[in-house]
Amino acid sequence: MKKKTLLQSVLIALVCGLIFYILGEPCREFFKVSETTEVRIVAPLPFLFSIAFGLPGALGCAFANVAADASQGFPATIFVPGFFSQVAYGYLPALLWNYLRRNAKNKFKLDRVYKVVQFLLIVIVDSAFISWLVYLNVALNGLPVSVDLWLNVFFNQLITMVVVGIPFMVICSLRYQRYLHKKDRMPRTMFSFSLNEKFLLFFLLASIVLGVAVGGANYQILLYKHHLDTLHLWNYVYYAVGVALNVALWASLAFLYYMERTVAQPVETMSAIAKVFGEETEIEAKIASIVSKCQKYVYFTSEIGDLARAFKGMSSELDTYVKNLTNVAAEHQKTHTELSIATAIQVSSLPKLEVFKRLELYAMMDPALEVGGDFYDFFKIDDDHIALLVADVSGKGVPAALFMMVSKIILRHNLMQGFSPAEALLRANEELSKNNPIEMFVSCLCGVLDLKTGVLKFANAGHERPALMRKGGEFYLPQIKSCFVLGGMPGMKYQDFEVPLAPGDIMFTYTDGVPEAMNENNEEFGNERMLAALNANKNESMENLCKNVREMVRAHAGSAAQFDDITMLAFCYKGA
Amino acid sequence: MYLMGEILLNVAKGLIMTIVKTKNGEELVIAPEGMLDTANAPAFDAEMEAAVAETTKLVLDFAKVQYISSSGLRVLLKAQKKVAASGEMKLVNVSAAVKEVFELTGFTNILTIV
């Protein structure tokens, strides 16, 4: 709350005093109980105004009381002490209440049983206090005093503080809440009572209605059946109301305390979980907060216990699930990292492009997954002979890549030893099919080119036919016999073929990823399109030749995903 | 109701692959339909494993097979190796496209294609 200026304080005191005077005056006229007292429904106002406005509230009421007493002709010995007692019984308990509510956002809110109990205790003590002050004041002025006078003041104070005080607190609480909403720009809600608060307010208001009804009924009965003086009549009414109010209130509070502990509080706590979930950013913290909130209630045997157990169980499951998910994500990350390393290893295992004498060569491999089963290879066997290889392992991914590495090493080893392509394939087949439990196989086109003579000796282990172009002619697929793939079965025979190449002749080798590339309509790229793409660029460099085919395949595939590895190796014999 | 269930089941199977199995005396005729590619190879493999265990005289009717990939070839290679020891396996009604694949990969060297 902001600090009030002096003007504001004076204004508040004036308004409070005015209200006090206007409401108090009729009581003095119509509810006069004795020479010195009357039924004062304004009795709780100093206390309530002090809670709401601080000292100016109490001072305003006290001045109004002096004014009223003076106008009635009471001597200064009555109204001067009256002024101070008025300030004391109004302001001191308000100070205590404000101190108890120092951490509350809304100090008027009676949303917990203990707050209501505090309120009632303050009211009882304060009522007893003012009763003694009035008693002493009257006695010191030499006016008649009695126990009845004391009791009259006490009950008047006590009952009005409850009957007027509690509705006053509720109204203030609502007003203040609305102010808070406005300040925080929150959506305005008419009834923002918590579950517990609703319970409490219902019982409090019911008790008040009951007390007032009992009082009304007693007043009627006492008035007509017994002829009592006003002081005693009102005292009896006060006893009846006081007893009814207290029995109803304390019984309600006992019941409400039980309800608060076993139902309202747990439900409110658990319903606040959704809010907590929004506030925390770490999922673990969120779950931990839910579990700790529910932990308090899981031992309850009631439905609340069921709810808490269910909540806690769900959170624990969620926790496990999140942990699993985190692990899976980490595992996935690890796999991803390993695969990218595998890609790097595979790429580096392919030979680097180099410039050969009498031969122009270009090769590329484009795997469908991180690693592929396709490979190409070329290397000098001796000064005059160069080995050229294109191969395709059945399947894709890591298994194919592992099989590809083994095949590549064996084939290179065999060819380096000087075996002819057919002999190299035969030996590789024996080696690969020896221990091959999962029936993987590799198709391979393997050739050795004599750079001096231009004679290409090659053998085919179940691979796609190469495209050949004689200088000045067109690309075509020569009919050559295919032997069995490598690794499938031992004891297979392979055959060498010899093709003499003239300077300017081009051979284009590839894997099935080229002709079998599919588009969205499941149409293959096909040999015709491949040959057309080759012929369109037959006078280009080997690099442009391959890149153009790759581009045409990409254009054909469109939005369809690359399904198989795409590998090409093209070379042009340049002559001696 | 039963008939409808049967039809639905066949439709559902059609989304993957239909494999018709007929017993012809000693012979067991297996007739796969559609594409023998990576997606369908496991189903074909399971069927072939069962068939190889069941009989020594296996006939593969490839009349309705339009395409075979390396995964399909692997299944044939596996079956052929198992059968080679004790029985025989032959392929009939092989289409030109599939036959070309067999020739290209050298599978004609190990399979009995009639």
Side-chain angles (χ1 to χ4, degrees):
Chain A
M1 285 259 211
K2 285 180 294 184
K3 208 91 181 130
K4 291 185 200 73
T5 63
L6 184 70
L7 185 68
Q8 277 176 319
S9 302
V10 170
L11 264 175
I12 287 168
L14 218 66
V15 171
C16 288
L18 214 60
I19 294 169
F20 184 87
Y21 189 83
I22 289 169
L23 290 177
E25 206 47 37
C27 298
R28 288 172 192 264
E29 296 304 321
F30 301 116
F31 296 129
K32 203 160 184 60
V33 174
S34 71
E35 279 305 303
T36 45
T37 57
E38 68 275 334
V39 176
R40 288 155 64 90
I41 60 159
V42 293
L45 291 185
F47 171 56
L48 298 173
F49 284 158
S50 294
I51 292 179
F53 309 116
L55 192 59
L59 284 175
C61 293
F63 278 121
N65 196 47
V66 167
D69 279 351
S71 72
Q72 293 239 321
F74 284 116
T77 45
I78 290 272
F79 65 70
V80 171
F83 174 80
F84 288 108
S85 55
Q86 194 84 16
V87 174
Y89 96 88
Y91 187 55
L92 293 181
L95 270 184
L96 177 63
W97 176 259
N98 285 348
Y99 173 74
L100 290 170
R101 294 288 83 77
R102 64 194 177 282
N103 293 326
K105 225 177 165 188
N106 183 348
K107 63 182 174 184
F108 305 105
K109 227 172 170 42
L110 296 172
D111 54 350
R112 297 287 302 274
V113 170
Y114 79 88
K115 291 182 184 175
V116 178
V117 170
Q118 281 173 354
F119 185 84
L120 289 179
L121 289 178
I122 288 175
V123 160
I124 288 170
V125 171
D126 195 36
S127 300
F129 172 66
I130 184 65
S131 303
W132 280 116
L133 285 181
V134 169
Y135 188 88
L136 283 174
N137 197 7
V138 171
L140 285 175
N141 278 281
L143 290 165
V145 285
S146 62
V147 179
D148 288 330
L149 173 72
W150 190 92
L151 285 171
N152 179 274
V153 176
F154 176 75
F155 274 112
N156 177 73
Q157 194 69 29
L158 179 68
I159 291 165
T160 50
M161 270 181 150
V162 172
V163 172
V164 179
I166 287 176
F168 177 86
M169 293 294 275
V170 173
I171 290 165
C172 281
S173 157
L174 278 175
R175 292 290 313 168
Y176 192 63
Q177 191 143 303
R178 203 184 261 184
Y179 161 75
L180 285 179
H181 280 186
K182 226 181 206 169
K183 205 176 73 174
D184 301 345
R185 288 167 203 278
M186 286 195 322
R188 202 199 255 189
T189 38
M190 267 303 279
F191 297 103
S192 48
F193 292 118
S194 70
L195 182 66
N196 197 33
E197 203 176 357
K198 281 180 198 160
F199 272 134
L200 255 171
L201 294 182
F202 174 78
F203 277 95
L204 288 180
L205 296 178
S207 302
I208 288 166
V209 169
L210 180 76
V212 170
V214 167
N218 269 289
Y219 181 81
Q220 293 298 328
I221 294 163
L222 290 167
L223 191 63
Y224 295 115
K225 283 213 167 162
H226 309 277
H227 297 284
L228 297 163
D229 64 69
T230 328
L231 176 67
H232 285 97
L233 170 69
W234 274 102
N235 271 7
Y236 283 127
V237 171
Y238 280 164
Y239 298 154
V241 176
V243 168
L245 252 187
N246 272 292
V247 168
L249 275 178
W250 292 107
S252 299
L253 286 173
F255 171 72
L256 284 167
Y257 182 63
Y258 170 77
M259 286 291 281
E260 180 176 299
R261 289 221 18 215
T262 57
V263 182
Q265 278 291 110
V267 168
E268 278 172 25
T269 311
M270 285 190 266
S271 74
I273 282 170
K275 199 169 154 248
V276 171
F277 217 80
E279 282 166 359
E280 298 280 351
T281 46
E282 284 291 309
I283 185 85
E284 282 89 356
K286 287 180 188 185
I287 291 163
S289 110
I290 294 175
V291 171
S292 73
K293 282 207 166 100
C294 296
Q295 186 61 40
K296 286 186 274 184
Y297 308 119
V298 291
Y299 306 111
F300 284 26
T301 48
S302 61
E303 287 84 351
I304 296 299
D306 289 340
L307 189 63
R309 282 188 290 276
F311 242 141
K312 198 188 161 204
M314 262 161 53
S315 307
S316 306
E317 265 171 44
L318 195 64
D319 193 34
T320 317
Y321 178 72
V322 166
K323 281 190 179 123
N324 281 345
L325 203 65
T326 315
N327 284 345
V328 167
E331 203 63 36
H332 187 262
Q333 185 57 43
K334 195 178 149 209
T335 312
H336 184 76
T337 310
E338 286 181 354
L339 271 176
S340 53
I341 294 170
T343 307
I345 292 173
Q346 188 171 47
V347 168
S348 69
S349 81
L350 296 173
K352 299 219 166 29
L353 291 169
E354 55 181 296
V355 180
F356 295 100
K357 256 192 295 176
R358 302 172 190 151
L359 184 73
E360 189 201 341
L361 180 145
Y362 185 80
M364 58 175 290
M365 198 263 267
D366 214 346
L369 305 173
E370 282 92 342
V371 289
D374 280 10
F375 72 94
Y376 59 82
D377 203 0
F378 50 84
F379 50 90
K380 275 180 137 177
I381 299 168
D382 55 44
D383 278 351
D384 294 333
H385 293 91
I386 188 160
L388 301 150
L389 278 162
V390 174
D392 178 6
V393 176
S394 61
K396 289 188 289 287
V398 174
L402 285 172
F403 205 76
M404 163 247 161
M405 291 298 261
V406 176
S407 313
K408 184 172 167 297
I409 291 163
I410 294 174
L411 282 164
R412 186 181 265 243
H413 176 79
N414 290 346
L415 287 164
M416 284 300 270
Q417 283 190 307
F419 294 118
S420 78
E423 185 66 18
L425 290 178
L426 186 139
R427 285 167 180 265
N429 181 49
E430 294 303 315
E431 193 66 29
L432 288 172
S433 55
K434 217 190 284 171
N435 291 308
N436 186 7
I438 57 158
E439 326 286 346
M440 280 194 114
F441 52 81
V442 49
S443 71
C444 177
L445 195 61
C446 168
V448 174
L449 179 65
D450 187 328
L451 292 170
K452 251 187 194 156
T453 62
V455 171
L456 177 71
K457 197 184 239 188
F458 74 94
N460 184 4
H463 199 81
E464 268 68 22
R465 284 172 291 170
L468 184 64
M469 190 206 81
R470 296 297 189 183
K471 190 177 166 61
E474 300 262 292
F475 276 99
Y476 70 105
L477 299 173
Q479 289 294 331
I480 52 161
K481 192 172 165 282
S482 235
C483 300
F484 194 51
V485 290
L486 303 178
M489 209 175 262
M492 303 307 296
K493 295 276 185 287
Y494 296 88
Q495 197 181 342
D496 276 325
F497 300 90
E498 277 189 11
V499 187
L501 293 180
D505 287 355
I506 298 171
M507 191 174 252
F508 174 82
T509 63
Y510 54 93
T511 56
D512 59 2
V514 177
E516 289 178 13
M518 300 275 191
N519 66 6
E520 299 98 323
N521 303 324
N522 275 343
E523 287 165 354
E524 284 188 353
F525 185 61
N527 288 338
E528 279 68 35
R529 284 196 189 87
M530 184 181 74
L531 289 174
L534 288 168
N535 284 326
N537 290 277
K538 57 185 180 183
N539 297 323
E540 293 280 333
S541 67
M542 293 303 107
E543 180 173 354
N544 285 347
L545 187 74
C546 291
K547 281 184 174 164
N548 181 58
V549 173
R550 182 71 191 91
E551 217 35 66
M552 297 296 270
V553 167
R554 200 169 276 141
H556 172 77
S559 63
Q562 185 187 337
F563 179 73
D564 203 354
D565 307 334
I566 292 175
T567 302
M568 293 173 233
L569 185 152
F571 57 92
C572 176
Y573 180 59
K574 292 292 186 188
Chain B
M1 269 320 273
Y2 175 77
L3 196 70
M4 237 171 66
E6 194 78 335
I7 290 166
L8 275 176
L9 195 70
N10 282 331
V11 170
K13 274 182 184 167
L15 288 176
I16 309 165
M17 164 169 242
T18 314
I19 300 169
V20 182
K21 220 168 139 178
T22 20
K23 189 104 187 178
N24 188 5
E26 281 267 301
E27 276 180 358
L28 183 64
V29 182
I30 304 250
E33 289 175 18
M35 314 266 280
L36 270 176
D37 54 14
T38 316
N40 293 325
F44 183 46
D45 192 23
E47 201 62 57
M48 289 298 283
E49 287 241 8
V52 167
E54 197 179 320
T55 184
T56 51
K57 272 195 162 178
L58 198 55
V59 176
L60 285 175
D61 187 346
F62 264 40
K64 286 176 180 166
V65 176
Q66 300 118 21
Y67 171 81
I68 186 160
S69 79
S70 63
S71 311
L73 291 175
R74 231 186 90 204
V75 176
L76 289 181
L77 173 62
K78 241 172 101 176
Q80 177 63 42
K81 279 168 108 172
K82 282 201 177 130
V83 165
S86 56
E88 63 176 38
M89 177 173 97
K90 60 182 177 184
L91 280 80
V92 295
N93 303 325
V94 180
S95 70
V98 174
K99 184 132 189 192
E100 200 195 329
V101 175
F102 286 151
E103 274 164 9
L104 218 56
T105 53
F107 267 69
T108 39
N109 297 320
I110 63 153
L111 295 173
T112 317
I113 302 167
V114 191

